[in-house]
Amino acid sequence: MSEIAEPFSFPGWVADNQHLLKPPVGNKEMLPGSADFIVMAVGGPNQRTDFHVDPYEEFFYQVKGDMHVNLMLPDGPRTVHIREGQMWMLPRGVPHSPQRPQAGSIGMVIERVREEGTLERFQWYCPECTHKVHDVELQVRDIAADLPPVFAAFYADETARTCERCGTLHPGKG
């Protein structure tokens, strides 16, 4: 049986860790060591141009400020707005790009821990015609260690950033 943790104050945790919820990363795992869930507090602002494809659902709860999640669906792009106090469940396998434009905004995101061998994808789409320009599949074990090299490689490679359909150069970081 696991050790039973004591309840804690989410506002108190945010007050103690607010300095960690800023760019460039903007998120901090709240309950490290959980065998089944990754519980993160995420702060704004952020700006990302990638779309994450998670093999599991993701739960979003917007505590302070508003955010939106850009989706890339088979019938084209869509945006879901999550206002302060709202929650939303993203279905598994949907390319999504969470955007928190407001400084000081705070959200909670809950995801499942990826079992060894579970792969996820990071994709970039053409800003003109929405054609997929780059796709990387990998096992993510540590967000802070595993993702920066993937992003840096994309940003540095104009060939990877050039749309084969319309020739538009993806801006990279945005």
Side-chain angles (χ1 to χ4, degrees), residues 84-141:
E84 184 172 312
Q86 291 183 323
M87 60 181 86
W88 180 66
M89 183 74 75
L90 172 75
R92 69 178 69 207
V94 175
H96 63 285
S97 184
Q99 305 292 321
R100 292 175 175 83
Q102 294 176 316
S105 64
I106 302 285
M108 181 187 300
V109 178
I110 302 174
E111 305 179 14
R112 283 184 52 189
V113 169
R114 278 59 153 183
E115 295 180 18
E116 190 61 31
T118 301
L119 303 177
E120 50 198 289
R121 305 182 91 86
F122 293 86
Q123 302 173 335
W124 288 264
Y125 292 84
C126 177
E128 293 298 318
C129 72
T130 69
H131 181 73
K132 187 180 347 173
V133 297
H134 193 65
D135 187 355
V136 176
E137 183 176 54
L138 71 151
Q139 165 89 52
V140 178
R141 293 179 183 93

Side-chain angles (χ1 to χ4, degrees), residues 47-59:
Q47 183 179 4
R48 54 190 290 184
T49 62
D50 69 293
F51 285 76
H52 177 218
V53 184
D54 193 329
Y56 305 114
E57 296 85 0
E58 289 187 35
F59 173 83

Side-chain angles (χ1 to χ4, degrees), residues 1-172:
M1 183 163 107
S2 299
E3 182 179 318
I4 306 299
E6 290 296 317
F8 64 93
S9 164
F10 180 76
W13 186 96
V14 169
D16 292 344
N17 293 277
Q18 182 89 37
H19 64 285
L20 301 172
L21 305 179
K22 296 179 179 170
V25 177
N27 68 34
K28 179 71 177 163
E29 191 170 349
M30 297 178 61
L31 301 169
S34 170
D36 297 317
F37 296 102
I38 302 166
V39 180
M40 294 175 286
V42 186
N46 81 322
Q47 183 179 4
R48 54 190 290 184
T49 62
D50 69 293
F51 285 76
H52 177 218
V53 184
D54 193 329
Y56 305 114
E57 296 85 0
E58 289 187 35
F59 173 83
F60 292 83
Y61 174 57
Q62 194 59 22
V63 178
K64 179 180 176 187
D66 298 336
M67 69 166 296
H68 62 275
V69 182
N70 295 329
L71 308 176
M72 195 58 68
L73 302 173
D75 60 346
R78 179 177 166 207
T79 300
V80 173
H81 295 274
I82 307 170
R83 309 286 183 216
E84 184 172 312
Q86 291 183 323
M87 60 181 86
W88 180 66
M89 183 74 75
L90 172 75
R92 69 178 69 207
V94 175
H96 63 285
S97 184
Q99 305 292 321
R100 292 175 175 83
Q102 294 176 316
S105 64
I106 302 285
M108 181 187 300
V109 178
I110 302 174
E111 305 179 14
R112 283 184 52 189
V113 169
R114 278 59 153 183
E115 295 180 18
E116 190 61 31
T118 301
L119 303 177
E120 50 198 289
R121 305 182 91 86
F122 293 86
Q123 302 173 335
W124 288 264
Y125 292 84
C126 177
E128 293 298 318
C129 72
T130 69
H131 181 73
K132 187 180 347 173
V133 297
H134 193 65
D135 187 355
V136 176
E137 183 176 54
L138 71 151
Q139 165 89 52
V140 178
R141 293 179 183 93
D142 179 342
I143 292 171
D146 297 339
L147 297 186
V150 169
F151 287 58
F154 174 71
Y155 299 151
D157 186 348
E158 281 198 13
T159 302
R161 292 178 22 232
T162 301
C163 180
E164 63 184 35
R165 180 183 290 164
C166 74
T168 297
L169 180 64
H170 189 286

